[in-house]
Amino acid sequence: MTKTRLTRRALLAGTAAAATAATLKAPAIAQNAPIKIGVITDRVANSAMWATLMGEGVELATKQVNDAGGVLGRRIELAWEDDQDRPDVSATRARKLIGDGVVMILSLSSSTAAQQAQTATLEGKVPHMSPSHSADTLTTRLNNPYFFQMGPLASFQIRTLMAYAGTRFRRVALLTDNSALGTVNATSFRQGLQQGNIQIVADETFERGVTDVTPALQRVRAANPEGIFHAGILGAEMALFFRTYHQMGLRQPVLGSFNLSIPTYLDLVPGLLEGVQFIDVYDDVKPEVVDFANRYKAVHNKDPFSLPAYGYDGIMLTVDALRRAGAPDREKLRDAMHATRNYTAVIGARGTTIGFAPDRRIGFPENGCVVRTIANNKHGHAVWRGLAAS
Amino acid sequence: MTDLLELAVSILEAGGIYALMALAYLVVLRPTGIINFAVGEWATLASFFSVATLGWWNLPYIPGAVLALAGVAAIGALTEQATVRPMIERGAPILTPILILLGMVVVYREAAALGFGTQNLRVPPPLGFGRIDLGPIAIPMQSAVVIAVSGIMLAGTWAFFERTIWGKAFQAVAIDRVAAGLMGINLRLVAAFSFAGGAAIAGTAGVLQAPLTSAHYLMGLPLAIKGFSALVIGGVGRVEGCILGGLVLAACERLVMRYAPIPSGFAIGVPLLLMILFLLVRPTGLIGARGRT
């Protein structure tokens, strides 16, 4: 009996001690509900190719913030939604996230989906950010003061390519595909080339699922351009272009959008991208990039590139704005986002920063792109930064 | 001259792929009466299987490709047993299995995305990407492979239908299902074999196409559309119709892309325009079916 009583006492005492200890040792972070950030991604459709990779950066940044104690004494919690790259679904998912109490929504799928999701974030008055989209029209088609675009506009990309190579060409071919983003990119490229008085002698679009691009490249060959600008984004069609380009013996230099910064192409058509010059936002000598690369590699055991960096910066900029806002309040966060100046992100050329001018909601600097060249089936260092040589 | 020769190769190559896709529809449609819009996803699955057998496991090309096709043929047969046969045996209208197979498109696609991811994956070509120089023209090696293999497949399928007793059984079922059953033809076996065969033929198109473009879980739909258009153009009846339909479609597309004074991207409308045109003017296609359907 005595033995039993002692054990019970010990048990009670132990339980009480444990409960007290747990209360005393619990960090402040656990006493508050987490701050929810919504992420609209695409896991199954056309933009899954890049949205998935951006998601890796989103998760990496969230873990880094939470491991360091969170923000405003609270953990970050991600609420993921899949819009299947469908604009109508994207708006529905945004509404769901707003109902779930998120303070910010990041759109990782396509520009068209992000455009439609804005109808919900404008209505719900919830800060909404596109970390990577390049469509010039995202902040102009709808006057949504809650929407912020962080990626390099297609017009910035073509201006950078023109600054880098424009004087070399008077006659070029412009290629793209019939994806929404490919079409938008091509429109900006076309305007940029025309403004630079460069004649577009062949303007070809590859349809999604095309099995052969020989006729289109015959038209290019017949037009005899000095260079080929490629604004397309679809992987299979891009692979087909490079194969046919080599098989037809074309020699014109190829200059591409930021889509060619995706290393998948190096695996799909190994050796066929030698000498290709492309726009990127990943300046691999920048200290922030080196730090990000080390963190990413420690988790994923592979070298990162621009796409995970966009997602990483999306969370980090949100966290920075939350700190400046002082509270996870949507209006305060919106104001803090718009007040962002001189934020040094992973993306962007060395020496450039992200910031939103009072009258604009485009954060990426016009001189923030770099040009890189592919050599030995690898992305080389930046050979050109911004709108002037560096 | 070089342009025309290059276009001729391009037409034969694309025509071969389209003809195989049309044939995949036909092999299922003739004995069962079912239009199977999942043929594009069968091509997708086979291309992913070839990523595994040829890319990851590094099998020699022919055994690797055959294994990939066997895999998708098995899926075709299983699909028939698990989803189509129960409906047919319950006397469901023909629309029911068509709708079920439309649903299977989503199942196949999501399964491919889950199993292989959403990234484009490389499929190694059997003979590399060199060129065969033939005087004024250099034929890309993979184009030669596509033309040769699709030609062999189409000729083999034609011989099967026209020269074997099994093929005659298929034709008999196509002409009069009830009578064929009364004559002792195993209708279940014919149905299972048609689905397996259709899957293998569509899979061949996928395995041939993937080295050029990559394997991707969304690659099936455009192939399915082109195949269906070729089927309508050629006529829903015979292998020769699939071949002719594939070649006519590829020729129209490529000539529009190359010579029409419109952006080449507008060629996307060619299959649909041709399909509408044939349905209005010649609904039986260029070559009609034999007997009663």
Side-chain angles (χ1 to χ4, degrees):
Chain A
M1 286 296 284
T2 308
K3 194 175 180 181
T4 306
R5 197 161 46 239
L6 281 173
T7 304
R8 196 176 289 156
R9 277 180 188 163
L11 186 67
L12 284 169
T15 306
T20 308
T23 309
L24 290 173
K25 287 184 180 176
I29 195 170
Q31 295 172 359
N32 299 313
I35 297 172
K36 282 188 184 177
I37 296 177
V39 187
I40 301 178
T41 189
D42 170 15
R43 297 190 199 279
V44 297
N46 297 316
S47 51
M49 181 178 177
W50 60 83
T52 309
L53 292 161
M54 271 191 278
E56 291 179 355
V58 166
E59 284 175 339
L60 181 69
T62 305
K63 184 176 184 306
Q64 185 182 326
V65 171
N66 285 339
D67 287 350
V71 57
L72 305 175
R74 295 162 69 168
R75 289 175 62 80
I76 294 289
E77 183 181 296
L78 298 174
W80 292 87
E81 289 293 334
D82 182 355
D83 69 2
Q84 303 158 43
D85 197 21
R86 287 173 50 191
D88 55 331
V89 177
S90 202
T92 306
R93 296 289 183 249
R95 286 194 183 90
K96 180 176 182 298
L97 288 170
I98 293 166
D100 289 345
V102 301
V103 295
M104 164 71 86
I105 292 175
L106 301 184
S107 277
L108 306 187
S109 58
S110 68
S111 294
T112 44
Q115 180 74 56
Q116 192 66 24
Q118 282 195 59
T119 57
T121 53
L122 174 62
E123 185 185 287
K125 297 186 175 177
V126 173
H128 180 191
M129 193 206 308
S130 140
S132 71
H133 294 131
S134 60
D136 280 64
T137 50
L138 270 179
T139 57
T140 57
R141 279 196 184 155
L142 186 68
N143 184 21
N144 177 5
Y146 293 86
F147 180 78
F148 299 92
Q149 185 172 7
M150 197 177 71
L153 299 191
S155 57
F156 297 177
Q157 296 181 43
I158 187 63
R159 260 176 250 164
T160 307
L161 278 180
M162 297 271 290
Y164 168 64
T167 55
R168 280 191 271 155
F169 304 125
R170 302 288 8 126
R171 297 158 47 82
V172 301
L174 176 60
L175 307 182
T176 190
D177 53 54
N178 66 345
S179 65
L181 183 56
T183 307
V184 168
N185 280 350
T187 303
S188 297
F189 273 39
R190 200 172 289 116
Q191 287 169 354
L193 290 165
Q194 285 164 349
Q195 283 164 7
N197 290 321
I198 294 178
Q199 188 186 1
I200 300 171
V201 292
D203 194 338
E204 303 296 327
T205 303
F206 306 141
E207 62 171 292
R208 186 192 302 276
V210 67
T211 55
D212 183 17
V213 295
T214 302
L217 291 194
Q218 282 182 340
R219 281 160 68 135
V220 170
R221 185 174 61 192
N224 194 26
E226 294 161 343
I228 296 173
F229 283 68
H230 204 314
I233 61 148
L234 297 175
E237 290 69 16
M238 189 70 83
L240 192 57
F241 159 71
F242 278 109
R243 287 200 198 294
T244 313
Y245 169 91
H246 282 275
Q247 283 169 347
M248 288 178 65
L250 297 180
R251 291 284 177 270
Q252 287 87 347
V254 177
L255 296 94
S257 73
F258 71 159
N259 178 255
L260 283 175
S261 67
I262 303 173
T264 304
Y265 297 117
L266 302 175
D267 298 328
L268 287 182
V269 280
L272 298 187
L273 284 91
E274 291 300 297
V276 168
Q277 299 145 79
F278 64 96
I279 287 290
D280 204 352
V281 296
Y282 197 74
D283 191 350
D284 60 356
V285 296
K286 199 170 147 181
E288 290 77 11
V289 173
V290 173
D291 177 62
F292 165 72
N294 290 335
R295 290 176 187 279
Y296 181 90
K297 207 169 177 177
V299 175
H300 295 282
N301 199 28
K302 61 182 179 182
D303 287 320
F305 61 106
S306 57
L307 284 179
Y310 287 115
Y312 181 88
D313 280 339
I315 290 292
M316 285 306 195
L317 178 55
T318 303
V319 167
D320 181 71
L322 275 167
R323 285 201 182 101
R324 286 184 277 116
D329 175 87
R330 290 169 174 172
E331 287 297 329
K332 287 179 181 172
L333 178 58
R334 194 213 75 85
D335 293 343
M337 278 294 293
H338 211 164
T340 300
R341 304 281 186 279
N342 302 320
Y343 177 81
T344 305
V346 175
I347 63 168
R350 187 179 58 203
T352 62
T353 56
I354 303 282
F356 297 97
D359 57 342
R360 292 185 85 185
R361 285 171 283 108
I362 297 162
F364 196 82
E366 192 167 348
N367 61 347
C369 295
V370 302
V371 178
R372 300 171 75 181
T373 303
I374 294 171
N376 301 318
N377 210 43
K378 286 182 180 170
H379 294 159
H381 297 302
V383 294
W384 182 271
R385 290 181 176 83
L387 302 175
S390 60
Chain B
M1 184 62 181
T2 304
D3 274 16
L4 285 176
L5 290 171
E6 282 175 350
L7 281 179
V9 172
S10 172
I11 288 166
L12 286 174
E13 179 190 345
I17 298 277
Y18 299 167
L20 286 175
M21 293 304 295
L23 189 59
Y25 279 107
L26 179 69
V27 167
V28 174
L29 176 63
R30 284 291 281 161
T32 64
I34 296 168
I35 301 172
N36 172 25
F37 289 105
V39 291
E41 310 316 310
W42 282 345
T44 305
L45 287 175
S47 70
F48 275 123
F49 292 162
S50 69
V51 168
T53 58
L54 302 171
W56 298 345
W57 304 339
N58 284 318
L59 293 178
Y61 189 83
I62 292 176
V66 168
L67 194 58
L69 296 180
V72 78
I75 286 173
L78 277 173
T79 302
E80 189 275 330
Q81 288 203 17
T83 64
V84 176
R85 188 176 297 178
M87 293 297 114
I88 299 290
E89 288 180 350
R90 283 177 204 168
I94 200 69
L95 190 61
T96 307
I98 292 174
L99 292 176
I100 286 173
L101 289 167
L102 209 52
M104 287 304 293
V105 169
V106 180
V107 174
Y108 290 141
R109 187 180 298 170
E110 299 305 307
L114 283 172
F116 292 89
T118 53
Q119 303 289 308
N120 295 66
L121 296 175
R122 189 173 85 93
V123 177
L127 301 174
F129 286 107
R131 297 189 295 177
I132 308 166
D133 285 314
L134 294 173
I137 185 174
I139 300 176
M141 201 71 87
Q142 184 61 16
S143 301
V145 169
V146 171
I147 294 166
V149 174
S150 55
I152 291 167
M153 281 292 286
L154 290 161
T157 313
W158 178 86
F160 171 79
F161 281 121
E162 301 293 331
R163 297 281 184 267
T164 68
I165 192 72
W166 269 83
K168 298 291 182 195
F170 268 65
Q171 298 278 19
V173 174
I175 292 167
D176 192 324
R177 186 179 171 81
V178 177
L182 290 171
M183 295 299 288
I185 294 173
N186 187 335
L187 298 177
R188 283 183 162 195
L189 200 59
V190 167
F193 198 74
S194 70
F195 270 75
I201 291 167
T204 304
V207 170
L208 290 173
Q209 180 64 32
L212 292 166
T213 54
S214 70
H216 188 243
Y217 72 109
L218 294 174
M219 68 186 283
L221 182 62
L223 287 174
I225 292 171
K226 303 284 173 67
F228 191 70
S229 305
L231 185 71
V232 171
I233 293 166
V236 187
R238 292 156 59 182
V239 177
E240 300 95 301
C242 296
I243 298 169
L244 195 57
L247 290 173
V248 167
L249 175 60
C252 290
E253 269 187 344
R254 270 131 193 84
L255 292 173
V256 167
M257 275 188 214
R258 177 64 184 92
Y259 296 111
I262 53 171
S264 57
F266 284 12
I268 194 171
V270 169
L272 299 173
L273 279 176
L274 281 175
M275 197 159 62
I276 292 167
L277 187 69
F278 270 85
L279 287 173
L280 285 173
V281 178
R282 193 178 166 86
T284 55
L286 292 170
I287 302 175
R290 286 197 192 98
R292 184 153 58 93
T293 54

